[in-house]
Amino acid sequence: MTEPYETAAETEADTNGLMTGRRITLDEAAAWLSATDLRLRQLARALEAPAEPVELEPTIESLRSESTRLRELAERMHFLARVTDGDVPLAKVFRDTGDPWGVAARDSDRKAYGGPAIVPTQWQLIKLARDAERAETRGVETTTFPEAMKGIGIGWESKAATARRRQERNAEVAAEVLRKTCKTCEAGDGEQCRTKSGWPAEQPHVGRQRDAEADVDARLGYLGDNPVAVPDA
């Protein structure tokens, strides 16, 4: 018997080939982006003369446009890799507000900017690097990423990962709803909930939804739509 095909989600989750350690480094990410950029440009060149006589100019131009975008991403990731390695000086505080970042931002108040920048964004790091370039003329105190981030990183995941896991949880709940018998309208396995007049409804009754959420959250280790613990932290 042949093995079943992997689902798209399983294939996407197989990231082991991208990195040498438990987590991908920014240097590794920069290399992959650069390699993908080159592959797209090679594919665009190959499609100039395909085996079948089909004019593919729009596709070729799309590939080249995408490769340009990837090249820019690769260059940015390479710069950020140097930042995180400590090669690039960074301003200790944001020049426009004087707010600290990294470990120094713990217990600080930065409500107008979405909270303290304990874990800086890529754009904040780029700005801090630019501010540090003015250190000699403006008296800007500088630091490095490793110095500023000592002790931070354990149990943290990106907003993108949190959003993806929330979507996965919600999809599990939607599937679990249809496995349960609704105590309100008695809709069974695979059936949508119904109104009193028998019309099918896309939204399940609250009790059926609540039961499905409770089972899924217990299975996945969630509290509401928030993970109780970050996997592999």
Side-chain angles (χ1 to χ4, degrees):
M1 181 181 293
T2 58
E3 292 294 321
Y5 289 107
E6 288 184 304
T7 65
E10 288 171 337
T11 302
E12 179 183 325
D14 183 10
T15 60
N16 291 329
L18 299 178
M19 50 212 177
T20 55
R22 287 182 60 206
R23 295 174 181 266
I24 192 168
T25 67
L26 299 191
D27 193 30
E28 288 172 323
W32 275 107
L33 285 167
S34 180
T36 306
D37 156 40
L38 177 57
R39 277 294 188 211
L40 287 181
R41 284 185 282 126
Q42 289 172 335
L43 180 57
R45 175 68 69 88
L47 287 175
E48 289 180 355
E52 297 78 16
V54 179
E55 177 54 70
L56 299 171
E57 182 190 14
T59 296
I60 292 168
E61 292 307 312
S62 292
L63 288 170
R64 286 176 174 153
S65 176
E66 189 64 22
S67 77
T68 298
R69 191 176 72 88
L70 285 174
R71 196 173 316 130
E72 292 171 353
L73 290 176
E75 290 171 356
R76 186 184 307 143
M77 197 65 66
H78 179 75
F79 176 74
L80 290 170
R82 293 199 59 191
V83 168
T84 57
D85 275 357
D87 294 344
V88 180
L90 304 171
K92 277 193 172 183
V93 299
F94 294 105
R95 184 168 57 88
D96 51 348
T97 64
D99 292 325
W101 60 279
V103 171
R106 282 177 171 160
D107 301 321
S108 65
D109 182 7
R110 203 165 182 260
K111 292 181 180 178
Y113 292 86
I118 298 173
V119 176
T121 68
Q122 58 183 5
W123 303 117
Q124 287 173 332
L125 288 176
I126 291 170
K127 183 178 188 306
L128 290 164
R130 288 172 179 166
D131 288 347
E133 291 176 355
R134 306 180 178 94
E136 293 184 3
T137 58
R138 300 192 180 184
V140 176
E141 288 189 80
T142 64
T143 184
T144 64
F145 186 88
E147 290 173 355
M149 297 293 287
K150 280 181 182 176
I152 292 178
I154 303 301
W156 174 84
E157 70 175 1
S158 71
K159 293 178 181 178
T162 300
R164 172 183 54 76
R165 297 210 293 140
R166 185 177 296 119
Q167 290 175 348
E168 291 172 353
R169 178 261 186 186
N170 291 342
E172 286 278 334
V173 170
E176 186 69 20
V177 161
L178 294 177
R179 298 188 189 107
K180 294 189 168 298
T181 298
C182 181
K183 298 173 183 176
T184 301
C185 68
E186 299 183 349
D189 188 0
E191 296 179 336
Q192 291 180 308
C193 283
R194 298 183 295 269
T195 67
K196 187 176 181 180
S197 301
W199 289 23
E202 290 187 355
Q203 289 293 331
H205 285 103
V206 171
R208 194 184 194 190
Q209 176 79 17
R210 187 187 299 117
D211 289 346
E213 289 176 349
D215 285 358
V216 168
D217 289 345
R219 186 164 68 242
L220 297 182
Y222 274 58
L223 182 63
D225 60 0
N226 296 308
V228 174
V230 176
D232 301 322

